Amino acid sequence: MRPLSLKGHDRALTRVRFNREGDLLFSAAKNKAPCVWFTENGERIGTYEGHNGVVWDLDVSWDTKSMATASGDNSVRLWDTETGKCLNAVNMPTPARSVSMSCSGNLVAYTTMKMTKNLSTLCVVDIRDPEQMLLENNMPMFRAQLDHGAVASLFSHLDDKVVIGNEAGVLLQYDVRNPDMPINANEKTHKYAINDLQLSPCGAFIIAACRDKTASLLDVNSLDQLKQYRSERPVNSACVSPIRDHICLGGGEDAMQVTQTAVSAGHFEAKLYHLVFEEEFARFKGHFGPINTMAFHPSGTTLATGGEDGYVRVQEFDDDYLEFKYDF
Amino acid sequence: MVEAEINNKENEEVEPNFDDPPGYNDPISDEELLGDVLRQEPLIDEYEENCLVVFGIPSVTKEKLAKLQTVMSKILNGINPNHVIEYPSSGDGSTKGCLFVEWENKETAQYALTVLNGYKLDKVHTFSAITIADMKNMPQPDENWEPPKPNEYANVGDLWSWMQNPRCRDQFSVQYENSAGPTVSIFWHVKGHEPEVAEDGSKPNWTESVFKWTPHGSYLATIHNRGIALWGGPKFQRYMRFEHLNVQYFDFSPCETYMVTYAPSNAKWDEDENCLQLWDVRTGEMRKGFSLYALTLRNELEGWPFFQWSHDDKFFACLKVPEKDKLEKQKKVNGIAVYDAETLQLVSNRYIVIENIRTFSWAPGGKNIIAYYSESTEQLPAEFGLISMPTGEKLRSARIYNVAEAQMFWQESGMRLAVHNLRYNKRTFKENGEVKFVGAMTSHIEIFELTGKKDVALMNLPLSEAFINFGWEPNGDKFCVLIGNQAKATPFVYRIDAMKHTPVCLGKLDAGVQLNTVSFAPQGGWLVVMACMSTGGNILFIDTNGQEAKRTSITEHPGFNKGYWDPTGRYFVSCCTVGCRVGADLGYRLYTFQGRELLRKNLERMMQFKWRPRPPVKLSEQKVKEIRKNLKTTSAKFDREDNEEKVKASQEVIDKRRKIMLAFDIIRKKNHALIEKQKDERKRLRNGVDTEADLQNEDLVEETITVALSTQKTLAVLSEEDERD
């Protein structure tokens, strides 16, 4: 199948995600309305109207019934995916930067940015508790204050552990029952802002994408660095293949400098690496700006990428990909 | 004489005793008695001006003195017969190797000085002369002075050990930054593999700014605040140190016999007598210090290298000191100062005079010839010429009208010289001496041919577009000239045919891209035309071996700023070093001579990339023939070796991977076991739905959804996709 190039957002993409079955593709961008698409043909089904600012992140529950979004309009919203209706909106004093739904889909973790007196926070709310889902919510079930703003958050383990990666390159893991102290920390692996955290489909590893031009594979239980993948440019997003020992990462020359560089020098390609040997073996061209976000389709043969250029590309791998083998 | 002697005898006998009796006090002073005569008595100062000390005279025994006297008298009589010689001798009557000569006046003494100083009697004896007056002004030697002790010989091993690599591999060195700081590393280039670090060939902070290979590759030179250090041998041990505080530039003569260093003088307006220093590389001895001010009348260096060397290290040259007119205004430079490297004196004790000289350059091979370009003036056209050294004979010169600018390109063999000259239509002189050119300029290339036995032939090649760059095949008869503009350049390859008056065009390789540099492979035949320091970074590989020049490939290395052939011409490297463009990927890429990429390496803050040069090796004709004849069998052998190596290497890689995989699998199994345990918990969280069950076992209901792609916009996007894919 030819790659699909989806133009539904007029601004830079911030997040693409497949639902668990892989038939739907959700995308969020710096414009106000997240979109949902058919993976098969790239047709847009609809948009989610309600936010009044950048939508930084979205996550879909395991059963695709609800979706959570984090926005620069200082709110986190919960949506009915099928009808596009906004179920709840939780306001915060500062913009929400990332959002993650738990294994059960009942808990939503989100991070907020630091602004003036308000410190950056990591909060978890239970969507079943109407108290916590009030518009002016001051009572999340979990609230931890952070020293640095966190751009990425992720439920790493069932409904009880959340990992965040902050702008200083530190990874922290919290137990949702204890907001006072993180249970694990990794300060060594990265030195610059962590842009993205994703769980490997098997649930055993976390992959972190960092501005320091690397992505790293971390042990989900201890946050220890297991592997590191070097790229020539800042990495904005990385994901692990559900079927093979491969990872894919994307990024590129900083958006600020894009106008000064030739496309070939910008490294706007998605790069495939071997999960274990850390070697790059293939690239996908297509975007003409940095890749901001990417996701593997659950089948492992399709990849969705969202770029600074405002396009979502859905790329199906050719048959050679499945035949490609590393000798060992 | 005999008569006089007799007289003397008589006098002795006859002459009465005029001596004053003891105790007699003379009432008349000498002044009163013969004042007028005494006044004529030469002063001691005057006498010292007239008297020369000559050193370097053969030291002979008493018996041979007479012979020496005749030899010396002959020389000295040639200057002026009116002189007195004195041979100081030691106790046993043998001479001390010096003599005193007294001349009748100061002028003769000065003339004698110029003749005698540096006079070559034979191979071992060279005179040095000085007046006694000057000698008195010399500083006293230090009382505690001791003869310098010989430096201990640092045995660093075979300096050419890298040449004996069984697989004929080449080395290259890179300066970059790793965890240990700025590092210089020397690598073996292994075709198709990761480069291997040479033994002891990587040191952090090896140099304070840059490193250099000597022209034959024997030593690696590093620069430090205290001076220059040379490293060599199989383990890169320190071979020699050259102390020159705050040294900024250094440079080697082509056969790496000499080194020139430059350090700016401490105080900006002070003249430093030794700011340029000439060293002997093998002994580490400083041969001579030069004052930059004395050589150029300036205290700042205008360009480096300051001295240009002849290809055999026999001579070095720089432009003559500019003269000053009556108003202390500098005149235009009008000559070249050529020094003999052995004696450090001007060749034939004089400058080579060329009016309005702009640049000159030595032939890089063959005979010792200097090519020069002297600028046009209001009256005279520009001149290009060839001067043979050390005779100073003009071999050929050409005057060309309307030259605005020119560059000279010697062929590596020294057989041909190409001169690019930009000619104007009309020019005007402004009052402040500035020259303004009016109208379009045309580019021409003049080629001086030194191959013929008789005269030097001259060829002209007018160019249809603006000149960009030029390159000779180092030893063949081809050249490539690049013409065009900023956006689009076209390389033309020509061959010089002895039977024809103009070069024969072998091909026009229109790439339609930006290019700015021509670089022929060191062994000739293959050629690279590239665009250094450009966003596109195109590199064009050309084969000129056939009847027609052909493009073998074109590649891109965005933003690269330097390209180098390896010394054998088998590989080409393009690199991005610090300073090429902000945000570019620093590192290098290696290609075969045909442009197939072999290796791509990114290095943090890469500052330099240098292939290790090879010393010139001359194989006998017979040997070359032999190699040609056996090429088939030897190349089969090489192929076999290559294959074995490949198999071995891939086996190594596989073993290594297997180990990594095993280690990873342990962690993976552990984590998967944990996750497996929580399966029930997950099922509970998801309301009893087992989301991990195989999808195929579920009852899938196939739904057909008809989707109408109706809007024009969507269609347009899709059709655009069609085109792109």
mmCIF file with all atom_site columns, all heavy atoms in Angstrom, chain B residues 1-15:
data_model
loop_
_atom_site.group_PDB
_atom_site.id
_atom_site.type_symbol
_atom_site.label_atom_id
_atom_site.label_alt_id
_atom_site.label_comp_id
_atom_site.label_asym_id
_atom_site.label_entity_id
_atom_site.label_seq_id
_atom_site.pdbx_PDB_ins_code
_atom_site.Cartn_x
_atom_site.Cartn_y
_atom_site.Cartn_z
_atom_site.occupancy
_atom_site.B_iso_or_equiv
_atom_site.pdbx_formal_charge
_atom_site.auth_seq_id
_atom_site.auth_comp_id
_atom_site.auth_asym_id
_atom_site.auth_atom_id
_atom_site.pdbx_PDB_model_num
ATOM 1   N N   . MET B 1 1  ? 117.824 43.617 -1.367 1.00 0.00 ? 1  MET B N   1
ATOM 2   C CA  . MET B 1 1  ? 117.665 43.123 0.000  1.00 0.00 ? 1  MET B CA  1
ATOM 3   C C   . MET B 1 1  ? 119.010 42.736 0.614  1.00 0.00 ? 1  MET B C   1
ATOM 4   O O   . MET B 1 1  ? 119.303 43.047 1.766  1.00 0.00 ? 1  MET B O   1
ATOM 5   C CB  . MET B 1 1  ? 116.739 41.888 0.023  1.00 0.00 ? 1  MET B CB  1
ATOM 6   C CG  . MET B 1 1  ? 115.258 42.193 -0.138 1.00 0.00 ? 1  MET B CG  1
ATOM 7   S SD  . MET B 1 1  ? 114.578 43.177 1.195  1.00 0.00 ? 1  MET B SD  1
ATOM 8   C CE  . MET B 1 1  ? 114.015 41.895 2.290  1.00 0.00 ? 1  MET B CE  1
ATOM 9   N N   . VAL B 1 2  ? 119.772 42.068 -0.175 1.00 0.00 ? 2  VAL B N   1
ATOM 10  C CA  . VAL B 1 2  ? 121.078 41.610 0.337  1.00 0.00 ? 2  VAL B CA  1
ATOM 11  C C   . VAL B 1 2  ? 121.935 42.808 0.747  1.00 0.00 ? 2  VAL B C   1
ATOM 12  O O   . VAL B 1 2  ? 122.498 42.843 1.824  1.00 0.00 ? 2  VAL B O   1
ATOM 13  C CB  . VAL B 1 2  ? 121.825 40.774 -0.713 1.00 0.00 ? 2  VAL B CB  1
ATOM 14  C CG1 . VAL B 1 2  ? 123.171 40.319 -0.184 1.00 0.00 ? 2  VAL B CG1 1
ATOM 15  C CG2 . VAL B 1 2  ? 120.959 39.591 -1.088 1.00 0.00 ? 2  VAL B CG2 1
ATOM 16  N N   . GLU B 1 3  ? 121.944 43.786 -0.167 1.00 0.00 ? 3  GLU B N   1
ATOM 17  C CA  . GLU B 1 3  ? 122.730 44.985 0.102  1.00 0.00 ? 3  GLU B CA  1
ATOM 18  C C   . GLU B 1 3  ? 122.305 45.623 1.426  1.00 0.00 ? 3  GLU B C   1
ATOM 19  O O   . GLU B 1 3  ? 123.109 45.987 2.264  1.00 0.00 ? 3  GLU B O   1
ATOM 20  C CB  . GLU B 1 3  ? 122.532 46.001 -1.021 1.00 0.00 ? 3  GLU B CB  1
ATOM 21  C CG  . GLU B 1 3  ? 123.826 46.370 -1.679 1.00 0.00 ? 3  GLU B CG  1
ATOM 22  C CD  . GLU B 1 3  ? 123.594 47.234 -2.894 1.00 0.00 ? 3  GLU B CD  1
ATOM 23  O OE1 . GLU B 1 3  ? 122.711 46.853 -3.721 1.00 0.00 ? 3  GLU B OE1 1
ATOM 24  O OE2 . GLU B 1 3  ? 124.235 48.261 -3.001 1.00 0.00 ? 3  GLU B OE2 1
ATOM 25  N N   . ALA B 1 4  ? 121.042 45.715 1.577  1.00 0.00 ? 4  ALA B N   1
ATOM 26  C CA  . ALA B 1 4  ? 120.500 46.345 2.791  1.00 0.00 ? 4  ALA B CA  1
ATOM 27  C C   . ALA B 1 4  ? 120.994 45.643 4.041  1.00 0.00 ? 4  ALA B C   1
ATOM 28  O O   . ALA B 1 4  ? 121.365 46.267 5.024  1.00 0.00 ? 4  ALA B O   1
ATOM 29  C CB  . ALA B 1 4  ? 118.988 46.337 2.749  1.00 0.00 ? 4  ALA B CB  1
ATOM 30  N N   . GLU B 1 5  ? 120.988 44.327 3.928  1.00 0.00 ? 5  GLU B N   1
ATOM 31  C CA  . GLU B 1 5  ? 121.440 43.543 5.091  1.00 0.00 ? 5  GLU B CA  1
ATOM 32  C C   . GLU B 1 5  ? 122.889 43.881 5.448  1.00 0.00 ? 5  GLU B C   1
ATOM 33  O O   . GLU B 1 5  ? 123.226 44.043 6.614  1.00 0.00 ? 5  GLU B O   1
ATOM 34  C CB  . GLU B 1 5  ? 121.303 42.053 4.806  1.00 0.00 ? 5  GLU B CB  1
ATOM 35  C CG  . GLU B 1 5  ? 119.972 41.512 5.323  1.00 0.00 ? 5  GLU B CG  1
ATOM 36  C CD  . GLU B 1 5  ? 119.767 40.089 4.907  1.00 0.00 ? 5  GLU B CD  1
ATOM 37  O OE1 . GLU B 1 5  ? 120.739 39.340 4.838  1.00 0.00 ? 5  GLU B OE1 1
ATOM 38  O OE2 . GLU B 1 5  ? 118.583 39.748 4.623  1.00 0.00 ? 5  GLU B OE2 1
ATOM 39  N N   . ILE B 1 6  ? 123.658 43.975 4.365  1.00 0.00 ? 6  ILE B N   1
ATOM 40  C CA  . ILE B 1 6  ? 125.085 44.312 4.593  1.00 0.00 ? 6  ILE B CA  1
ATOM 41  C C   . ILE B 1 6  ? 125.182 45.646 5.308  1.00 0.00 ? 6  ILE B C   1
ATOM 42  O O   . ILE B 1 6  ? 125.866 45.800 6.308  1.00 0.00 ? 6  ILE B O   1
ATOM 43  C CB  . ILE B 1 6  ? 125.861 44.344 3.269  1.00 0.00 ? 6  ILE B CB  1
ATOM 44  C CG1 . ILE B 1 6  ? 125.943 42.912 2.721  1.00 0.00 ? 6  ILE B CG1 1
ATOM 45  C CG2 . ILE B 1 6  ? 127.264 44.920 3.464  1.00 0.00 ? 6  ILE B CG2 1
ATOM 46  C CD1 . ILE B 1 6  ? 126.341 42.826 1.284  1.00 0.00 ? 6  ILE B CD1 1
ATOM 47  N N   . ASN B 1 7  ? 124.402 46.586 4.761  1.00 0.00 ? 7  ASN B N   1
ATOM 48  C CA  . ASN B 1 7  ? 124.398 47.905 5.375  1.00 0.00 ? 7  ASN B CA  1
ATOM 49  C C   . ASN B 1 7  ? 124.089 47.827 6.862  1.00 0.00 ? 7  ASN B C   1
ATOM 50  O O   . ASN B 1 7  ? 124.708 48.468 7.678  1.00 0.00 ? 7  ASN B O   1
ATOM 51  C CB  . ASN B 1 7  ? 123.358 48.816 4.720  1.00 0.00 ? 7  ASN B CB  1
ATOM 52  C CG  . ASN B 1 7  ? 123.905 49.382 3.423  1.00 0.00 ? 7  ASN B CG  1
ATOM 53  O OD1 . ASN B 1 7  ? 125.126 49.365 3.260  1.00 0.00 ? 7  ASN B OD1 1
ATOM 54  N ND2 . ASN B 1 7  ? 123.032 49.849 2.567  1.00 0.00 ? 7  ASN B ND2 1
ATOM 55  N N   . ASN B 1 8  ? 123.079 47.029 7.127  1.00 0.00 ? 8  ASN B N   1
ATOM 56  C CA  . ASN B 1 8  ? 122.680 46.848 8.516  1.00 0.00 ? 8  ASN B CA  1
ATOM 57  C C   . ASN B 1 8  ? 123.838 46.408 9.386  1.00 0.00 ? 8  ASN B C   1
ATOM 58  O O   . ASN B 1 8  ? 124.054 46.928 10.469 1.00 0.00 ? 8  ASN B O   1
ATOM 59  C CB  . ASN B 1 8  ? 121.566 45.803 8.588  1.00 0.00 ? 8  ASN B CB  1
ATOM 60  C CG  . ASN B 1 8  ? 120.264 46.441 9.079  1.00 0.00 ? 8  ASN B CG  1
ATOM 61  O OD1 . ASN B 1 8  ? 120.325 47.565 9.570  1.00 0.00 ? 8  ASN B OD1 1
ATOM 62  N ND2 . ASN B 1 8  ? 119.177 45.752 8.928  1.00 0.00 ? 8  ASN B ND2 1
ATOM 63  N N   . LYS B 1 9  ? 124.538 45.411 8.812  1.00 0.00 ? 9  LYS B N   1
ATOM 64  C CA  . LYS B 1 9  ? 125.677 44.875 9.567  1.00 0.00 ? 9  LYS B CA  1
ATOM 65  C C   . LYS B 1 9  ? 126.693 45.985 9.853  1.00 0.00 ? 9  LYS B C   1
ATOM 66  O O   . LYS B 1 9  ? 127.167 46.151 10.975 1.00 0.00 ? 9  LYS B O   1
ATOM 67  C CB  . LYS B 1 9  ? 126.334 43.758 8.773  1.00 0.00 ? 9  LYS B CB  1
ATOM 68  C CG  . LYS B 1 9  ? 125.896 42.387 9.256  1.00 0.00 ? 9  LYS B CG  1
ATOM 69  C CD  . LYS B 1 9  ? 126.640 41.298 8.496  1.00 0.00 ? 9  LYS B CD  1
ATOM 70  C CE  . LYS B 1 9  ? 125.969 39.953 8.730  1.00 0.00 ? 9  LYS B CE  1
ATOM 71  N NZ  . LYS B 1 9  ? 126.509 38.976 7.765  1.00 0.00 ? 9  LYS B NZ  1
ATOM 72  N N   . GLU B 1 10 ? 126.925 46.719 8.784  1.00 0.00 ? 10 GLU B N   1
ATOM 73  C CA  . GLU B 1 10 ? 127.914 47.805 8.917  1.00 0.00 ? 10 GLU B CA  1
ATOM 74  C C   . GLU B 1 10 ? 127.488 48.778 10.006 1.00 0.00 ? 10 GLU B C   1
ATOM 75  O O   . GLU B 1 10 ? 128.227 49.156 10.896 1.00 0.00 ? 10 GLU B O   1
ATOM 76  C CB  . GLU B 1 10 ? 128.091 48.565 7.600  1.00 0.00 ? 10 GLU B CB  1
ATOM 77  C CG  . GLU B 1 10 ? 129.036 47.861 6.661  1.00 0.00 ? 10 GLU B CG  1
ATOM 78  C CD  . GLU B 1 10 ? 129.050 48.504 5.302  1.00 0.00 ? 10 GLU B CD  1
ATOM 79  O OE1 . GLU B 1 10 ? 128.267 49.464 5.091  1.00 0.00 ? 10 GLU B OE1 1
ATOM 80  O OE2 . GLU B 1 10 ? 129.797 48.030 4.460  1.00 0.00 ? 10 GLU B OE2 1
ATOM 81  N N   . ASN B 1 11 ? 126.169 49.104 9.890  1.00 0.00 ? 11 ASN B N   1
ATOM 82  C CA  . ASN B 1 11 ? 125.632 50.044 10.877 1.00 0.00 ? 11 ASN B CA  1
ATOM 83  C C   . ASN B 1 11 ? 125.875 49.577 12.287 1.00 0.00 ? 11 ASN B C   1
ATOM 84  O O   . ASN B 1 11 ? 126.275 50.325 13.168 1.00 0.00 ? 11 ASN B O   1
ATOM 85  C CB  . ASN B 1 11 ? 124.134 50.264 10.677 1.00 0.00 ? 11 ASN B CB  1
ATOM 86  C CG  . ASN B 1 11 ? 123.866 51.152 9.483  1.00 0.00 ? 11 ASN B CG  1
ATOM 87  O OD1 . ASN B 1 11 ? 124.808 51.775 8.992  1.00 0.00 ? 11 ASN B OD1 1
ATOM 88  N ND2 . ASN B 1 11 ? 122.636 51.204 9.046  1.00 0.00 ? 11 ASN B ND2 1
ATOM 89  N N   . GLU B 1 12 ? 125.575 48.295 12.473 1.00 0.00 ? 12 GLU B N   1
ATOM 90  C CA  . GLU B 1 12 ? 125.730 47.742 13.813 1.00 0.00 ? 12 GLU B CA  1
ATOM 91  C C   . GLU B 1 12 ? 127.153 47.899 14.316 1.00 0.00 ? 12 GLU B C   1
ATOM 92  O O   . GLU B 1 12 ? 127.401 48.216 15.487 1.00 0.00 ? 12 GLU B O   1
ATOM 93  C CB  . GLU B 1 12 ? 125.320 46.267 13.836 1.00 0.00 ? 12 GLU B CB  1
ATOM 94  C CG  . GLU B 1 12 ? 123.863 46.083 14.231 1.00 0.00 ? 12 GLU B CG  1
ATOM 95  C CD  . GLU B 1 12 ? 123.397 44.667 14.031 1.00 0.00 ? 12 GLU B CD  1
ATOM 96  O OE1 . GLU B 1 12 ? 124.205 43.737 14.264 1.00 0.00 ? 12 GLU B OE1 1
ATOM 97  O OE2 . GLU B 1 12 ? 122.212 44.493 13.622 1.00 0.00 ? 12 GLU B OE2 1
ATOM 98  N N   . GLU B 1 13 ? 128.002 47.620 13.349 1.00 0.00 ? 13 GLU B N   1
ATOM 99  C CA  . GLU B 1 13 ? 129.414 47.674 13.774 1.00 0.00 ? 13 GLU B CA  1
ATOM 100 C C   . GLU B 1 13 ? 129.864 49.115 14.066 1.00 0.00 ? 13 GLU B C   1
ATOM 101 O O   . GLU B 1 13 ? 130.478 49.398 15.078 1.00 0.00 ? 13 GLU B O   1
ATOM 102 C CB  . GLU B 1 13 ? 130.309 47.097 12.683 1.00 0.00 ? 13 GLU B CB  1
ATOM 103 C CG  . GLU B 1 13 ? 130.313 45.573 12.700 1.00 0.00 ? 13 GLU B CG  1
ATOM 104 C CD  . GLU B 1 13 ? 130.902 45.030 11.427 1.00 0.00 ? 13 GLU B CD  1
ATOM 105 O OE1 . GLU B 1 13 ? 131.675 45.762 10.789 1.00 0.00 ? 13 GLU B OE1 1
ATOM 106 O OE2 . GLU B 1 13 ? 130.557 43.908 11.055 1.00 0.00 ? 13 GLU B OE2 1
ATOM 107 N N   . VAL B 1 14 ? 129.450 49.996 13.108 1.00 0.00 ? 14 VAL B N   1
ATOM 108 C CA  . VAL B 1 14 ? 130.030 51.349 13.146 1.00 0.00 ? 14 VAL B CA  1
ATOM 109 C C   . VAL B 1 14 ? 129.321 52.244 14.158 1.00 0.00 ? 14 VAL B C   1
ATOM 110 O O   . VAL B 1 14 ? 129.943 53.000 14.908 1.00 0.00 ? 14 VAL B O   1
ATOM 111 C CB  . VAL B 1 14 ? 129.981 51.993 11.738 1.00 0.00 ? 14 VAL B CB  1
ATOM 112 C CG1 . VAL B 1 14 ? 130.570 53.393 11.770 1.00 0.00 ? 14 VAL B CG1 1
ATOM 113 C CG2 . VAL B 1 14 ? 130.696 51.109 10.763 1.00 0.00 ? 14 VAL B CG2 1
ATOM 114 N N   . GLU B 1 15 ? 127.977 52.096 14.183 1.00 0.00 ? 15 GLU B N   1
ATOM 115 C CA  . GLU B 1 15 ? 127.178 53.067 14.935 1.00 0.00 ? 15 GLU B CA  1
ATOM 116 C C   . GLU B 1 15 ? 127.600 53.178 16.402 1.00 0.00 ? 15 GLU B C   1
ATOM 117 O O   . GLU B 1 15 ? 127.706 52.178 17.120 1.00 0.00 ? 15 GLU B O   1
ATOM 118 C CB  . GLU B 1 15 ? 125.695 52.673 14.886 1.00 0.00 ? 15 GLU B CB  1
ATOM 119 C CG  . GLU B 1 15 ? 124.794 53.860 14.965 1.00 0.00 ? 15 GLU B CG  1
ATOM 120 C CD  . GLU B 1 15 ? 123.379 53.434 14.592 1.00 0.00 ? 15 GLU B CD  1
ATOM 121 O OE1 . GLU B 1 15 ? 123.116 53.276 13.373 1.00 0.00 ? 15 GLU B OE1 1
ATOM 122 O OE2 . GLU B 1 15 ? 122.582 53.230 15.499 1.00 0.00 ? 15 GLU B OE2 1
#
